[in-house]
Amino acid sequence: MNELINTIAIVCMIVVTISIALLLYRVIKGPTNPDRAVALDAIGINLMGMAGLSAILLVTTRLNDVILLIGILLFVGTVGLAKYLEKGVIIDRDDD
Amino acid sequence: MLFAVFLPVLLAIFIPYLSKWKENIHTGYFVLLAPLAVFLYFIPHIGNDFTPIIQSFNWIPSMDIGFDFYLDGLSLLFVLLISGIGTLVTLYSIFYLHTSERLDQFYVYLLIFMTAMFGVVLSDNVFVLYAFWELTSISSFLLIGYWNYKERSRYGALKSMLITIFGGLSMFGGFILLTSITGTTSIQEMIEQTDTILSSPYFGLILALLLLGAFTKSAQFPFHIWLPDAMEAPTPVSAYLHSATMVKAGIFLVARFSPIFSESDWFFVLVSGFGIITLIWGSFMAVRQTDLKGILAFSTISQLGMIMAMLGFGTKLAIYAAVFHILNHATFKGSLFMIAGIVDHESGTRDIRKLGGLATLMPISATLAFFGTFSMAGVPLPFLNGFYSKELFFDASLELHESSIAFANVLAQAIPYLAVFGSIFTFVYSMYLVFGTFMGKKKLDQLPAKPHEAPVGMLISPIILVVGVVIIGLFPNLVNSTFLAHTAEAIYGAPVEKHVQFWHGWNSPPLYMSLVVVGFGTVLALTIKHWSNIYQYLPGKLSLNKVYDFLVDQFEKTSARITNSYMNGSLNRYMSLILIAIVVCTFGILWITDGFAWDTSNLAEITLHEILIAAAMAVAAIFTIFTINKVASILVLGVVGYGLSLLFILYSAPDLALTQLVVETITVALFLLCFYHLPKLRERNESKTKKLSNLIISVGFGAMMTIIAISAHSTKLFEKISDYFLETSHDIGGGDNVVNVILVDMRGIDTLFEIVVLGIAALAIYGLIKLRNKKGAK
C-alpha cells in the first residue's frame, strides 16, 4: 500500500516538474508580460502540488504551512503584478 | 651625559614663553646657555689620559634599546664641535635675526637640532642613534623652511627631507641587519664581533645600506644636490647645520663603523671613490656659482668628499688627516658662512656679480674672509690650519695600501692625481670667492643697501673661529696628542701618534703637490673668464638637479597614471579586478596545497524531478542574463526563487522554504515598485574582448565555487555538530523544531544581530526616501 502511494507520488512529482518546465517556457517566451505573470502564477500552484506530494512522500504535516503560505503569497504577488501591468504602480497614493 | 644631551630640548620647552619678552631681550641670549653649558661640560675631557666613558639609561629594555652614551675621542670631537660652534652660531644669530622674526620657532628648531646631533654622536645604541638621526633630518627640514613664505625655501626643505630621510631609512635597514647578525644593539659590541659581520652573507648589503645613509646625509655625490638648495635657510643655520655639524653626521657614521668595515676592500673602493668624485665635482661646480652661499655649499660638498675619501683610505695617516680636517673645516667654513651672512646683511645681496671692492668698507670682515678662504684653499702659509690637513691629505693619498681588487689598485694609483686636480679647483673658487667680494671695482650703485662694517656682536663669532684657524695653524701640535690622537685612535682601532709640522724639507712630494695646486690654481683663477664657458656644456643637461626634478615629477605622474589606470570609476572594472583576484588566489592555493579532493562515497541518489527542477532553474537563470525585457527578467528570476524553495521542500527544510517564498515574493514586489524609476535595460555595446573577458571571469568564478564546494564536501575533517543539536534540542532547548531552537536558543546572538541589520536597513530606506528632497541632505 505504502509502496503504491510512494510510486504514485513520485510519478506525480515528475509530471508536475514537467509542467513547471513547460510553464517556464511560457515565462521565458512570453510573448506578452501578462502571459508571463499568469505562467508564474501557475508555477506557484504547481509548487503547492509539489509541496503536498513531498509531504506525502516524507510522511509529515509540517509542509502544510508551506502550502497555505504559497497560496496566499501567490494571490498577493499576482494581484501586485496585475496592478503593475495595468497601472504601472502597485501602491496608489492617497488622493484625499 | 643624559642631561647634557637633553638640555637643549628641555630649554626649548620654555622658549615660547621666553620669546614673549623678545622686544626687551633677544631670545637668543637664553638659548646661548644650552650649548655653552654642554661645551663646558665636555671640555674637561680633553687631555692626554683619556679613557672612553659609558653611561646607560633604560628606555625599552625588552627590545634592548636604551640611551647608552659612549664618549670616546670621536664623539668628544663631534660633541665639542657641535656645542662650541653651536654657541658661536647662537651668538651670531642674536645679531643676525631681528626681533620681528618668529624667534621662538627658530630657536626651538635649533635646540631640537642640537639635542639630535648630541644624540647622534654620543649614542652607542644603533636604534637610538637612528632616532636622533631622523630628528636631525626633521629639525633641519624645519630650519631650511624657516622662511616658509618663500617658494625656494619650501622646495629646498622638501628636497633635503626626501633625500636625507631616504638615506636614513636605508641606514635603519642596515642597523636592523647588523642587529640580527650580531644579536646586540650596541655599536661597541658590534665592533668586537667584526669577524662575524665580515663573514656574514649580508655584509655587502649592510655596507651598501649604511653608506647610503652616510652619503645622503653628508651630501656625497650624487646625493649632494640637496645641500645647495638648503642655502635658502637663514645664514646661522647654513653655517651651523650645513657646514659644521649635520653634514658631518654621515662622516661620523662612516668613522664610527670603519673599525668594522675597513677590513673590506669594497669599503675602500666605495668610500674613497665617491669621496674623490665628490671632491672634484663639488669644487668644479663651486666655481660656477654666483651666490656666495652657493659657492660655500659646493665647497662644503667638496671638503666633505675629501674627508670621506681619507676615511676610505683607512691608513693611519689618512685617518689622522681626516680627523684633523674635520676640525679645520668646521672652523674656517663656519667663519666663512658667517662672513657671507654679514656681507648679505650689510650690503643687501649675496650675488657675487654685484659685489666687489668691499675690503675698504668692511675691513674686519675682509680680513677674516682672507684667512678663511686661504685656509680653505690650502695655501702653504704657516699660520693656516687648512694647509696642514691638505698636505696630510696629499701625503696620505700617496701611500695607499695594495688591495686584492684590481680596480681598487687602479683607483689607488689614480687618487693622488685626482686629489691634485680637485684641489686646483678648490683653490680657484676660494680665490674667486674672496677676490670677487672684497677686491676689484666697487659697484655701489648695484647694491640694494649701502655697505658698512658689521656690528661688533656679529663679528665676535667669526673672529673666534678665525683665531682658532690661526692658533691651530701656528701650533698644530696643540690639539694633537690631547685631542685628535684619541679621535683617530677611536676610528683606527690602534694608537695613532702624529707630529704635524709645517716644513718637511725640500724632499717632500706633498709640498710639490701643494705648489702645483697653487700654481695651476692661480693661472686658472686669473683666466676664469676664458674658460668658464665650459659650464654651459658640463654639466649642462647632465645636471643632477634636473635628474632629481625629473624623478620627482615622474614619480607623481607615474603614480597618478597607475592609480587612474585602475581607479576609473567603473564598478564593472572593480568587480572584475576583485573577482579575478579571488579566482587567481583560490586556484593558486588549491594548486600549491593540492587541496582539491573528490570523494563520491557519501552521495545521495539523484531523482528525476530534482534534475528537472534544477534544469528549469538553470534555464531561467541563463535567460535573465540575455533578456532585455525588465518585467520578464524579474518574473524569470522569480522562477529561480520558487525553484529554490521547491528544492528546500524536497530536502525537507520547511522553515527555509517558508522564508524563501516570502522573501522571493517581497523581492519581486520591490523590484516592481522601483521599476518606474529604473532605466530601461538596453543592449550593451561592449567590445568582443570585453564580453569575452567578462565571460571568462564569470565562468572562472563559478568553476572556482563549484570546485570549492566539491572539495569541501569530499573533505570531512571533523564530526558534524548537527547530531548534537538533533539529540539535545528537546532536552535543552525545550522545542522540537530544531531549526528554530538553534535560531533563538543555541545561537540567539546571530539572530539578534540579524534583526538589528533589518532594523538598520529599514531606517536607512526611510531616511533615504524622506531626506532625498531636502537641501543639504547630500
Side-chain angles (χ1 to χ4, degrees):
Chain A
M1 187 64 186
N2 247 349
E3 195 69 18
L4 185 65
I5 288 179
N6 276 353
T7 318
I8 289 172
I10 288 175
V11 170
C12 289
M13 265 185 150
I14 292 169
V15 173
V16 172
T17 328
I18 293 169
S19 142
I20 290 177
L22 292 174
L23 283 164
L24 178 69
Y25 171 77
R26 188 44 63 197
V27 174
I28 291 173
K29 184 73 184 170
T32 64
N33 281 333
D35 290 327
R36 295 191 173 102
V38 171
L40 198 64
D41 196 47
I43 287 181
I45 291 166
N46 279 311
L47 225 56
M48 289 165 76
M50 200 75 162
L53 291 169
S54 299
I56 293 170
L57 264 180
L58 299 169
V59 199
T60 173
T61 56
R62 297 195 196 283
L63 287 174
N64 296 359
D65 298 349
V66 182
I67 298 168
L68 292 174
L69 190 78
I70 297 175
I72 190 81
L73 285 178
L74 270 182
F75 174 69
V76 173
T78 312
V79 168
L81 265 176
K83 212 168 168 190
Y84 175 78
L85 291 173
E86 195 181 36
K87 287 184 164 182
V89 289
I90 297 177
I91 302 168
D92 292 310
R93 301 217 174 153
D94 290 337
D95 290 335
D96 44 43
Chain B
M1 262 191 271
L2 185 72
F3 186 69
V5 168
F6 284 101
L7 177 67
V9 156
L10 290 178
L11 184 61
I13 296 170
F14 299 102
I15 289 298
Y17 306 104
L18 295 173
S19 74
K20 283 182 183 156
W21 309 326
K22 68 179 180 182
E23 300 301 334
N24 299 321
I25 180 164
H26 198 284
T27 317
Y29 286 112
F30 301 109
V31 178
L32 200 56
L33 299 174
L36 191 61
V38 177
F39 186 72
L40 293 177
Y41 176 80
F42 281 107
I43 200 97
H45 290 286
I46 293 184
N48 279 322
D49 46 345
F50 177 82
T51 44
I53 302 169
I54 301 173
Q55 288 179 7
S56 294
F57 303 93
N58 270 344
W59 184 17
I60 314 173
S62 59
M63 308 269 291
D64 199 11
I65 294 174
F67 293 104
D68 305 333
F69 295 122
Y70 180 75
L71 185 75
D72 61 353
L74 179 62
S75 25
L76 184 65
L77 169 68
F78 275 92
V79 145
L80 288 177
L81 277 180
I82 295 160
S83 55
I85 295 184
T87 314
L88 297 177
V89 160
T90 315
L91 185 65
Y92 176 77
S93 72
I94 292 172
F95 298 93
Y96 185 85
L97 289 174
H98 193 255
T99 47
S100 59
E101 300 268 8
R102 293 158 298 143
L103 292 178
D104 49 345
Q105 294 184 13
F106 180 79
Y107 285 115
V108 167
Y109 301 158
L110 197 68
L111 288 169
I112 294 176
F113 174 77
M114 279 181 197
T115 284
M117 273 316 290
F118 290 143
V120 165
V121 297
L122 285 172
S123 287
D124 187 45
N125 189 302
V126 284
F127 293 115
V128 174
L129 194 157
Y130 171 72
F132 283 118
W133 183 280
E134 290 298 7
L135 202 56
T136 64
S137 298
I138 292 166
S139 50
S140 160
F141 168 76
L142 292 169
L143 285 167
I144 295 168
Y146 177 63
W147 286 315
N148 53 23
Y149 48 84
K150 287 198 217 159
E151 214 263 313
R152 292 295 304 171
S153 284
R154 299 198 299 272
Y155 173 79
L158 181 66
K159 193 173 184 177
S160 75
M161 180 88 159
L162 284 176
I163 294 177
T164 54
I165 296 276
F166 163 72
L169 284 173
S170 340
M171 190 186 79
F172 189 46
F175 283 164
I176 292 175
L177 280 175
L178 272 177
T179 308
S180 60
I181 288 171
T182 59
T184 173
T185 54
S186 157
I187 296 172
Q188 293 307 315
E189 287 172 29
M190 284 174 187
I191 290 173
E192 284 166 18
Q193 298 191 41
T194 301
D195 295 336
T196 322
I197 298 170
L198 283 175
S199 57
S200 150
Y202 296 111
F203 175 73
L205 194 59
I206 293 172
L207 182 65
L209 288 173
L210 283 189
L211 286 185
L212 207 54
F215 284 179
T216 50
K217 199 74 165 180
S218 280
Q220 298 294 299
F221 186 90
F223 305 110
H224 64 272
I225 47 173
W226 65 267
L227 189 59
D229 281 303
M231 290 301 130
E232 295 300 324
T235 302
V237 172
S238 309
Y240 188 38
L241 274 70
H242 306 128
S243 72
T245 53
M246 189 178 94
V247 287
K248 294 217 176 83
I251 302 274
F252 171 81
L253 188 79
V254 171
R256 181 52 96 203
F257 281 93
S258 74
I260 298 178
F261 295 132
S262 56
E263 301 290 317
S264 159
D265 290 324
W266 282 107
F267 179 77
F268 165 69
V269 171
L270 289 173
V271 176
S272 304
F274 277 99
I276 284 286
I277 293 172
T278 313
L279 164 65
I280 294 171
W281 187 252
S283 57
F284 177 67
M285 291 295 287
V287 185
R288 184 196 187 200
Q289 306 299 315
T290 55
D291 178 39
L292 289 183
K293 282 170 84 177
I295 301 174
L296 291 173
F298 276 104
S299 151
T300 303
I301 293 168
S302 154
Q303 305 277 330
L304 291 169
M306 177 173 148
I307 299 172
M308 199 63 101
M310 287 191 276
L311 288 175
F313 295 168
T315 58
K316 219 180 231 184
L317 182 62
I319 298 264
Y320 183 80
V323 169
F324 196 26
H325 197 65
I326 290 172
L327 180 65
N328 294 341
H329 177 248
T331 54
F332 65 70
K333 189 53 66 66
S335 66
L336 284 176
F337 264 109
M338 290 177 186
I339 289 158
I342 289 173
V343 170
D344 183 19
H345 212 264
E346 305 304 334
S347 69
T349 183
R350 295 196 314 248
D351 192 334
I352 201 162
R353 288 167 299 188
K354 294 183 186 164
L355 294 166
L358 292 180
T360 49
L361 295 166
M362 307 169 73
I364 303 176
S365 309
T367 313
L368 299 174
F370 270 98
F371 277 103
T373 41
F374 275 71
S375 178
M376 179 160 77
V379 175
L381 289 172
F383 52 89
L384 296 174
N385 58 4
F387 168 66
Y388 295 107
S389 40
K390 183 132 288 181
E391 202 184 35
L392 286 171
F393 171 53
F394 288 146
D395 207 0
S397 72
L398 288 171
E399 51 167 53
L400 287 170
H401 56 84
E402 290 287 305
S403 166
S404 59
I405 307 175
F407 175 67
N409 285 330
V410 176
L411 186 67
Q413 296 297 320
I415 273 177
Y417 299 99
L418 294 172
V420 171
F421 180 71
S423 300
I424 289 173
F425 281 101
T426 308
F427 187 86
V428 172
Y429 74 69
S430 300
M431 296 305 117
Y432 170 60
L433 175 71
V434 67
F435 284 98
T437 313
F438 292 105
M439 303 305 264
K441 269 189 280 179
K442 287 178 187 161
K443 305 170 192 165
L444 294 181
D445 50 326
Q446 289 186 27
L447 295 177
K450 191 175 172 343
H452 54 81
E453 188 55 86
V456 180
M458 227 170 180
L459 287 169
I460 293 174
S461 303
I463 286 175
I464 293 175
L465 285 171
V466 168
V467 166
V469 167
V470 174
I471 286 180
I472 299 174
L474 286 175
F475 311 105
N477 294 310
L478 198 65
V479 289
N480 262 356
S481 54
T482 51
F483 187 29
L484 295 179
H486 303 310
T487 314
E489 186 184 339
I491 302 173
Y492 189 68
V496 177
E497 281 299 324
K498 181 66 196 171
H499 186 75
V500 183
Q501 59 187 36
F502 175 67
W503 185 250
H504 294 280
W506 290 109
N507 195 13
S508 93
L511 179 68
Y512 294 114
M513 289 163 86
S514 285
L515 291 176
V516 165
V517 167
V518 174
F520 268 99
T522 314
V523 171
L524 280 179
L526 290 175
T527 57
I528 189 164
K529 285 193 181 127
H530 300 287
W531 56 272
S532 57
N533 283 339
I534 192 176
Y535 287 106
Q536 289 171 2
Y537 307 102
L538 197 77
K541 283 184 180 171
L542 295 171
S543 156
L544 286 159
N545 277 318
K546 287 190 177 150
V547 174
Y548 167 83
D549 289 338
F550 175 79
L551 278 180
V552 170
D553 199 42
Q554 283 302 306
F555 264 120
E556 285 178 9
K557 277 187 189 159
T558 311
S559 48
R561 206 179 304 135
I562 291 173
T563 309
N564 289 337
S565 69
Y566 67 93
M567 296 284 287
N568 62 353
S570 149
L571 290 178
N572 182 313
R573 168 73 65 85
Y574 302 156
M575 206 63 210
S576 311
L577 290 177
I578 292 169
L579 292 182
I580 288 172
I582 293 175
V583 169
V584 168
C585 291
T586 313
F587 274 122
I589 294 290
L590 273 177
W591 182 267
I592 292 167
T593 60
D594 198 16
F596 182 69
W598 177 263
D599 178 16
T600 53
S601 60
N602 202 18
L603 294 182
E605 266 184 53
I606 306 169
T607 55
L608 182 59
H609 49 270
E610 283 168 358
I611 294 176
L612 283 173
I613 291 169
M617 283 171 71
V619 171
I622 291 169
F623 176 75
T624 52
I625 300 174
F626 293 103
T627 182
I628 53 167
N629 184 329
K630 284 197 289 188
V631 180
S633 64
I634 287 307
L635 294 179
V636 176
L637 208 57
V639 173
V640 179
Y642 284 148
L644 186 61
S645 65
L646 202 51
L647 286 182
F648 284 144
I649 291 171
L650 291 179
Y651 297 137
S652 47
D655 295 299
L656 282 183
L658 278 174
T659 320
Q660 169 66 27
L661 278 168
V662 176
V663 170
E664 187 60 41
T665 313
I666 291 173
T667 314
V668 170
L670 279 179
F671 270 121
L672 292 176
L673 261 178
C674 50
F675 259 16
Y676 182 74
H677 304 283
L678 288 181
K680 278 215 163 95
L681 291 176
R682 57 196 154 72
E683 201 78 52
R684 297 217 280 171
N685 300 317
E686 283 171 333
S687 64
K688 281 248 171 72
T689 49
K690 178 81 187 153
K691 276 184 180 168
L692 189 67
S693 73
N694 282 348
L695 183 72
I696 290 172
I697 292 168
S698 55
V699 169
F701 194 76
M704 181 198 86
M705 293 308 289
T706 313
I707 286 174
I708 289 177
I710 292 171
S711 303
H713 183 81
S714 310
T715 342
K716 289 270 189 299
L717 297 176
F718 304 103
E719 287 289 308
K720 284 188 290 185
I721 197 175
S722 49
D723 295 334
Y724 169 80
F725 290 130
L726 289 174
E727 282 164 20
T728 56
S729 135
H730 182 87
D731 301 336
I732 298 179
D736 293 320
N737 187 331
V738 182
V739 174
N740 287 357
V741 168
I742 290 175
L743 279 180
V744 300
D745 201 331
M746 312 260 195
R747 301 222 177 119
I749 298 279
D750 295 2
T751 317
L752 175 68
F753 287 108
E754 289 186 12
I755 292 169
V756 172
V757 167
L758 280 180
I760 291 172
L763 284 175
I765 291 166
Y766 182 78
L768 283 174
I769 292 171
K770 281 289 171 189
L771 294 177
R772 67 179 163 175
N773 289 330
K774 284 190 187 161
K775 280 187 180 174
K778 286 176 181 176

